């Protein structure tokens, strides 16, 4: 009986986690880049971030990005070769969807490509916000 009561008391703590995905569709729903922000516990500070690179049915892979503070923003660029460059503060990553790969850059790329939008909070929702010309 005590164990059941303890489990019931701890249940709200487990339910307080937050997981929010924001996706950029490249060629419909089967080809996309998704940034997922995760706060595993209500007392967690900042956000854990993952990048999910998808090209169904060939591949789908999840990569951990560096942990972010309370405000999350990951800018997305497209290169002429079809790769995607992601910028998270001082961190830069390159992702390609042919084989669902991602890797960090050692230093900032000189030309990241065409800015196409950001993964960020808009109207209290974590979402992908396309480029509107007013960064």
């Amino acid at each position: 009986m005590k164990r059941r009561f303890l489990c019931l008391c701890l249940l709200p703590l487990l339910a307080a986690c937050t997981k929010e995905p924001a996706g950029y569709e490249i060629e419909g729903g089967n080809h996309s880049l998704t940034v997922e922000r995760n706060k595993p516990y209500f007392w967690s500070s900042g956000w854990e971030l993952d990048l999910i690179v998808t090209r169904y049915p060939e591949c789908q892979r999840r990569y951990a990005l560096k942990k972010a503070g309370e405000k999350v923003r990951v800018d997305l660029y497209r290169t002429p070769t079809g790769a995607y460059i992601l910028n998270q503060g001082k961190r830069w990553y390159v992702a390609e969807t042919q084989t669902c790969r991602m890797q960090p850059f050692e230093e900032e790329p000189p030309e990241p490509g065409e800015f196409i939008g950001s993964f960020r909070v808009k109207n209290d929702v974590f979402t992908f916000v396309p480029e509107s010309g007013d960064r």
Side-chain angles (χ1 to χ4, degrees), residues 42-53:
F42 74 88
W43 62 82
S44 299
S45 64
W47 294 91
E48 295 176 5
L49 298 178
D50 287 330
L51 172 67
I52 301 144
V53 184

Side-chain angles (χ1 to χ4, degrees), residues 64 68 88 121 134:
Q88 176 194 3
V121 174
D134 57 330

Side-chain angles (χ1 to χ4, degrees), residues 44-118:
S44 299
S45 64
W47 294 91
E48 295 176 5
L49 298 178
D50 287 330
L51 172 67
I52 301 144
V53 184
T54 305
R55 184 181 188 87
Y56 287 131
E58 289 83 13
C59 60
Q60 179 181 28
R61 292 196 175 87
R62 176 183 293 265
Y63 299 94
L65 302 176
K66 292 290 184 178
K67 187 173 179 178
E70 289 303 317
K71 291 189 176 187
V72 174
R73 181 180 175 127
V74 179
D75 291 332
L76 183 63
Y77 301 84
R78 181 178 31 238
T79 68
T81 63
Y84 292 88
I85 307 293
L86 295 95
N87 174 234
Q88 176 194 3
K90 294 180 181 181
R91 297 174 192 95
W92 292 85
Y93 306 92
V94 60
E96 61 84 20
T97 58
Q98 292 301 323
T99 58
C100 295
R101 303 218 178 203
M102 188 280 292
Q103 70 180 44
F105 277 103
E106 295 290 325
E107 52 191 57
E108 180 178 342
E111 292 289 324
E114 172 194 3
F115 177 71
I116 53 178
S118 298

